[in-house]
Amino acid sequence: LIASTTLTSFASAAFAADVPSPNQYYWPKGMNLAKLRAHDSESDPYGADYYTNYHKKFEQLNLQEVRKDIEKVMLTSQPWWPADYGNYGPFFIRMAWHNAGTYRAIDGRGGEEGAQQRFAQLNDWPDNASLDKAKRLLWPVKKKYGEKLSWGDLIVLTGDVALNQMGFKTLGFVGGRPDDWQSELIYWGPGTTFFPNKGSFQVGQGGSLKHPLAATHMGLIYVNPEGPNGDPDPAKSAQMIRLAFGRMAMNDEETVALIAGGHTFGKAHGAHPNSCLSGPPVANGVEQQGLGWVNHCIKGKQTADDASTSGLEGSWSADPIHFTTQYIDNLLNNDWVLGTSPTGAHQWHTKTDDKIAPDPANPNDPSKMRPIMMFTTDIALKTDPVYHKILARWAEHPNEFADAFARAWFKLVVRDMGPKTRYFGSEVPKETFVWQDPVNMPAKPIGQGEVRELKKLIAASGLSDRELIKTAWAAASSHRVTDHRGGANGGRLALMPQNGWAVNDPQELQTILPKLQQVRDKFNSTHKARTVSLADVIVLGGSVGIEDAAKKAGVKIQVPFAPGRGDATQEQTDVNSFNLLEPTADAFRNYYRADADNTPPLNAMVDKADTLGLTIPEMTVLLGGLRTLDVNSGHSAAGVLTKNPGVLSTDFFTNVLTMDTRWQKVPGHEDLYEGFDRATGQKLWTATDVDLVFGANPELRAVAEVYASDDAKEKFYNDFVKAWTKVMNLDRFDLQR
Ligand code: HEM
C-alpha cells in the first residue's frame, strides 16, 4: 500500500529549517490555545462577514450552468491524470465521500463543511491518495465561480453531478458550506504513524475506540479495506465497519447502502508497486505544485492503466460507470476467494476469475477485459448476518436499495450542516428528517414591546438571577459550531435527554423550568397573534438575570435579545443522537467528569470553548464573569473568587492574579486547590485547574490582566455581554441570512 511517513518525521523536517517552532515542540505538555485563535476571522480573505455574504453570493448561482461545467470536466480526460473509462465520476464520488466521511458524531468535527480536504493533514492522509488530482481537475470550475461557490459546496455538488450522470437519482443538492482557510487542529488519534504502519491502528482490546475518535487507523477515513490492521478476516472487518460507521452517525442499513452504493462505481488502483510513488503533497518539492504520490515508474505516455492509489486493483462491477445492482449481485452470487493485488495487498477474487470488467484505459477493447474483485470490507457485508440480510432484501427489491442509498448519501454530505435554516439553493429537498433536529419556528416572533413585558413577568417569577442565568447557559451552551447542532433554539433543555444531563443539575432544573413555562403560558394566553416559545423565555431569562447581577454592582447594562426561537417536541428529538451532545466537561460551569475517555480539564476547557466558537478573550471574559455569577454546576464554590457571589464583577480576575494568595493542591484530589491568605494563613477560596490556569498560563494571564486592571470595568461589562450574546445566538442562523 501507499508509502507512509511518520508524523514525527514530518515534524522534524518542518523544524529543521530556520523557522520558529511552536512551544509544544519543546514542551509537548504545554497548553495549546491555537484552536481558539482560529476563530478570529483575520486569516479569512473574504473577511468577517464571509458566512452571511457567501450565502447571498451562492444564491445568485445558476446551478444548472454549474452542473454542466462540472459534467464537462468529468467527461474530459486529462493527460496528466487520465480518466478511467473516460469518466472521472467514480473518482469524484470518492472525493466527496472522503470529504464527508471524516464527520464524527461524538464531537461533530470533520465533515464536508470547510473543505478541510484541501489542507494538510487530511490532504496528505494515505486514504486521500490521488484526491489531490480530483480537486485540481475541478479548479477551472472553482475559478469560474470564485466567491459564489465554496470548495465545500463544489465538492458535494460534484459528487451529485457524478451520481446523476451515471444514472443515479439523488434526493437533491444543498448548498451553504463556507470554506475554511487554514488546517483545523483536530485530534485524529494518538498514533504517531500513519496507515498502513501497524502503530496506526487505534482500536484497543475488545474493539474499544477512544472518544471522540471514529477512524480505526490514523490516516484512514474509516476502516482498512484489507481488514483490521491488515488481517483479512471479514467477521472482524464487519465489527470495525459497524464501529466506525456508527461513529459517523450511520446505522446498519445506512452503512450497507453507502458502501454498496459507492462501490457500484469505479475501481481501485494498484498498477505499480508502492516504491514507485513519492510521498504525499506535503512531502514534495514546490515544483510538484502541491501534488503528491508522484509515480516515477511510468514509462512513456501516462494512461489510466498506470494509476496507483490504494495498491488494491480492480472494479466491483462489470459496468463501473453506471448505477446498477451489480455490486450486490456480484457479492452475493459469487464464491469469493482470498488472493492478492499486483502489489501484494489482500483482496478477493471469484473462483472462476471471469474477465467481465472493462479495462480503464481501453474500455471498448474486448481483448483487454479484466476480472472483478472485492475488498475484505466488502466480503464483510456478505458474511455479517445483519448486513447480509439487508443486502439480500435489496437484491430482491432494487428500488429499496436505490432509495436507501439516496437517503444515506444525502445524510452523509449534509449531516454536518446543522438545521435546515442553514441550507441554501434551489435544489433543497422538501422532506424533513429527524437527524436534522427540526424545530417548529414561530410564524411571527414577538417584538421589542412584548420583550419588555416578558422581562417583567420573568423578574416576577420568583426565580433568582443565578437560576435564570444557569438555565440560559445550559440551553445555549449545548450548541457546537462543529456541526451546528444543539443550542437554545428548540427549547430542548426541557426535553429528554438534555433535561437529565448531570451538568444541568436535573433536580434543580425540574424546579426552574415549570416557572419559566408558566411565564410562557401566561404571556401566550393574552397574546394570541405573537406567541413566545419556551426557548425564547429561557434565553431572555438569562438577560434578566445578568442585567440584575450587574445592577447589584452599580452598573447599568442591557443584554441584547433577539426573539424568534421555536420549540421542538420530544418526537422531533432523537434521544440517542442528542446524548452525544452531553458535555463531559464545561469549564464555564466548573464541571468535569473524570471518565476514562475524558481529556484532561485544561484541554477540555479549550475544547468546549472551541465548540462554542470562542476566541481566547471571549473564553476568558465569559469564564471569569460566570464565576462571579455563582452558576457552577452542582453549585460548587470552586473558582467563585468573590466575596459577593451573584454580583457580576471583575473579582475573579483580581483574585486569581493577586500575589496575596498562596495556592496549594488539596491532598487526594487531582483537580482541587485551596487558596490561603499569605499574611494570615486564613483559607479564602477553592479552585480547580481551569480557574488557576488564568493565573498560571502566561497567554491566559495576559488576557486576565486586561480584565483585572483598574481601568477595565467598562470593557469587562461590554465584553462579557458581547460574548454572552454570541453564545446565546450561536444557533440563530435565521439572523444571519
Ligand atoms: C474506491 C475503500 C466505502 C466510494 C475505494 C478504494 C478503496 C476504498 C481502498 C480504492 C481507491 C483507489 O485505489 O483508487 C473503502 C472502504 C470503505 C469504503 C474500506 C468502507 C468500508 C465507500 C463509500 C463510498 C465509496 C461509503 C461512497 C458512498 C468509492 C468509489 C470508489 C472507491 C466511488 C472508486 C473511486 C475511483 O474509481 O477512482 N474505496 N471504501 N467507498 N470508493 Fe470506497
Side-chain angles (χ1 to χ4, degrees):
L1 290 164
I2 291 301
S4 76
T5 319
T6 63
L7 290 177
T8 35
S9 73
F10 284 152
S12 42
F15 295 131
D18 294 335
V19 291
S21 311
N23 290 343
Q24 272 70 37
Y25 177 65
Y26 303 106
W27 297 283
K29 288 193 171 162
M31 206 174 168
N32 189 351
L33 295 166
K35 271 192 200 180
L36 305 186
R37 297 197 196 284
H39 295 302
D40 288 328
S41 56
E42 238 110 272
S43 36
D44 178 343
Y46 290 127
D49 295 328
Y50 170 49
Y51 175 78
T52 315
N53 290 340
Y54 172 60
H55 291 146
K56 289 190 186 128
K57 303 257 173 189
F58 174 83
E59 298 264 273
Q60 295 165 13
L61 276 181
N62 176 343
L63 283 177
Q64 286 313 312
E65 186 191 328
V66 187
R67 281 180 175 278
K68 276 192 202 132
D69 290 333
I70 294 173
E71 198 170 301
K72 193 165 167 216
V73 168
M74 209 171 95
L75 301 176
T76 311
S77 185
Q78 299 295 337
W80 49 270
W81 188 259
D84 298 334
Y85 326 108
N87 189 334
Y88 291 114
F91 187 38
F92 285 163
I93 292 172
R94 178 172 160 251
M95 168 187 64
W97 139 242
H98 278 209
N99 203 34
T102 52
Y103 175 77
R104 50 190 202 201
I106 293 174
D107 66 359
R109 292 196 168 88
E112 291 282 359
E113 195 165 322
Q116 280 288 324
Q117 201 190 75
R118 292 175 297 148
F119 305 121
Q121 45 172 286
L122 297 195
N123 188 38
D124 300 85
W125 272 4
D127 217 7
N128 283 334
S130 304
L131 293 178
D132 49 349
K133 266 70 93 182
K135 291 180 290 282
R136 281 302 156 84
L137 287 163
L138 284 170
W139 165 237
V141 182
K142 173 64 188 143
K143 180 173 178 293
K144 178 171 172 189
Y145 296 102
E147 200 181 348
K148 295 195 197 73
L149 184 62
S150 67
W151 270 108
D153 280 344
L154 174 58
I155 288 172
V156 176
L157 182 59
T158 300
D160 204 77
V161 171
L163 287 163
N164 293 166
Q165 197 279 333
M166 294 189 289
F168 182 71
K169 197 168 167 344
T170 53
L171 290 194
F173 167 71
V174 169
R177 303 167 184 82
D179 278 338
D180 290 343
W181 302 97
Q182 55 187 314
S183 171
E184 200 181 346
L185 257 185
I186 294 183
Y187 175 66
W188 292 113
T192 51
T193 62
F194 281 134
F195 176 81
N197 293 338
K198 292 282 183 229
S200 67
F201 192 48
Q202 329 210 86
V203 181
Q205 287 297 321
S208 62
L209 181 59
K210 239 188 145 188
H211 279 212
L213 303 180
T216 57
H217 280 264
M218 184 73 184
L220 286 189
I221 306 301
Y222 275 94
V223 297
N224 185 346
E226 292 186 78
N229 228 356
D231 176 5
D233 178 331
K236 288 186 192 153
S237 178
Q239 282 172 14
M240 293 299 116
I241 294 173
R242 192 162 277 121
L243 171 70
F245 276 73
R247 298 254 171 129
M248 203 199 332
M250 298 294 172
N251 63 24
D252 280 344
E253 183 158 322
E254 289 162 336
T255 302
V256 181
L258 284 172
I259 300 173
H263 288 177
T264 293
F265 304 105
K267 72 181 282 285
H269 302 86
H272 294 270
N274 299 334
S275 52
C276 288
L277 300 182
S278 79
V282 73
N284 282 343
V286 288
E287 73 282 6
Q288 293 300 343
Q289 289 289 281
L291 295 185
W293 305 285
V294 182
N295 192 331
H296 299 293
C297 298
I298 298 174
K299 304 266 179 289
K301 197 169 152 238
Q302 184 174 345
T303 75
D305 284 337
D306 288 312
S308 297
T309 295
S310 61
L312 295 139
E313 176 58 45
S315 65
W316 299 263
S317 140
D319 187 4
I321 52 168
H322 288 106
F323 182 69
T324 64
T325 53
Q326 281 195 34
Y327 172 90
I328 298 180
D329 299 337
N330 288 343
L331 184 61
L332 296 186
N333 300 340
N334 283 296
D335 288 328
W336 292 93
V337 185
L338 182 61
T340 51
S341 75
T343 64
H346 296 302
Q347 65 179 47
W348 300 65
H349 59 99
T350 64
K351 264 192 178 152
T352 46
D353 249 349
D354 296 335
K355 296 187 173 171
I356 57 169
D359 178 279
N362 309 281
N364 301 319
D365 185 343
S367 71
K368 299 215 160 155
M369 299 290 271
R370 299 159 163 226
I372 51 170
M373 60 92 223
M374 293 283 162
F375 300 156
T376 302
T377 44
D378 300 306
I379 302 297
L381 302 186
K382 183 175 179 176
T383 55
D384 179 88
V386 180
Y387 291 154
H388 183 107
K389 214 169 147 195
I390 296 168
L391 282 177
R393 172 159 51 87
W394 288 341
E396 294 292 313
H397 306 282
N399 287 344
E400 285 183 26
F401 164 50
D403 186 57
F405 179 42
R407 284 164 185 275
W409 178 265
F410 183 71
K411 181 173 169 183
L412 174 76
V413 295
V414 170
R415 184 77 176 98
D416 64 331
M417 289 185 73
K420 275 176 109 172
T421 34
R422 295 191 79 249
Y423 294 7
F424 284 80
S426 50
E427 300 182 7
V428 176
K430 295 245 171 339
E431 196 174 344
T432 296
F433 303 95
V434 74
W435 53 261
Q436 291 164 332
D437 305 338
V439 171
N440 307 312
M441 296 301 276
K444 243 188 191 178
I446 56 169
Q448 287 306 324
E450 284 107 339
V451 168
R452 278 192 291 276
E453 217 179 303
L454 257 176
K455 277 174 111 168
K456 283 190 194 142
L457 287 178
I458 294 171
S461 67
L463 290 166
S464 66
D465 293 346
R466 195 187 133 262
E467 289 169 322
L468 290 170
I469 297 164
K470 72 182 290 204
T471 306
W473 179 264
S477 70
S478 66
H479 184 76
R480 50 189 204 189
V481 297
T482 50
D483 60 357
H484 314 284
R485 299 190 64 208
N489 201 4
R492 287 192 162 94
L493 183 64
L495 303 177
M496 287 184 306
Q498 219 160 318
N499 59 4
W501 291 349
V503 65
N504 292 339
D505 295 331
Q507 285 192 341
E508 192 185 5
L509 195 63
Q510 270 175 33
T511 64
I512 299 172
L513 285 174
K515 293 190 183 158
L516 292 173
Q517 277 154 344
Q518 273 169 22
V519 168
R520 176 197 61 187
D521 297 344
K522 192 166 175 195
F523 179 89
N524 288 348
S525 65
T526 50
H527 295 74
K528 296 275 183 256
R530 289 172 187 241
T531 54
V532 71
S533 62
L534 179 65
D536 263 352
V537 175
I538 289 174
V539 174
L540 187 60
S543 304
V544 171
I546 289 172
E547 286 171 11
D548 194 52
K551 202 162 130 200
K552 288 178 186 154
V555 180
K556 193 171 172 356
I557 55 170
Q558 203 176 358
V559 181
F561 173 73
R565 291 169 188 82
D567 288 336
T569 63
Q570 192 65 60
E571 292 68 48
Q572 288 170 321
T573 308
D574 178 342
V575 172
N576 288 335
S577 156
F578 262 93
N579 256 334
L580 297 174
L581 272 62
E582 181 180 3
T584 52
D586 180 358
F588 299 93
R589 288 183 272 180
N590 226 336
Y591 177 79
Y592 183 78
R593 212 165 71 192
D595 289 1
D597 259 3
N598 216 351
T599 179
L602 296 181
N603 290 355
M605 175 177 81
V606 175
D607 197 71
K608 178 74 186 167
D610 182 44
T611 54
L612 292 173
L614 299 176
T615 61
I616 296 168
E618 287 168 342
M619 173 180 80
T620 307
V621 76
L622 263 177
L623 189 140
L626 285 170
R627 284 294 186 278
T628 63
L629 293 171
D630 195 22
V631 292
N632 280 348
S633 190
H635 210 166
S636 127
V640 183
L641 310 183
T642 176
K643 295 283 176 222
N644 299 305
V647 178
L648 182 61
S649 75
T650 56
D651 284 1
F652 172 83
F653 297 110
T654 48
N655 286 323
V656 81
L657 297 188
T658 180
M659 286 309 295
D660 295 341
T661 307
R662 176 180 58 82
W663 289 99
Q664 75 181 40
K665 217 173 190 156
V666 178
H669 289 265
E670 248 323 289
D671 179 30
L672 195 63
Y673 305 82
E674 285 172 337
F676 299 89
D677 187 320
R678 273 189 208 274
T680 64
Q682 188 199 347
K683 185 180 145 191
L684 297 173
W685 326 107
T686 56
T688 66
D689 279 320
V690 298
D691 300 309
L692 296 190
V693 73
F694 287 90
N697 177 281
E699 289 179 333
L700 291 180
R701 191 177 175 99
V703 182
E705 283 172 355
V706 171
Y707 296 115
S709 297
D710 293 349
D711 61 358
K713 273 237 157 70
E714 202 182 326
K715 181 170 174 56
F716 166 74
Y717 286 101
N718 284 342
D719 291 2
F720 180 84
V721 168
K722 225 169 142 192
W724 170 270
T725 311
K726 174 171 168 172
V727 173
M728 294 302 122
N729 289 343
L730 279 175
D731 58 359
R732 296 301 305 282
F733 308 107
D734 52 319
L735 300 176
Q736 297 164 13
R737 286 187 89 120

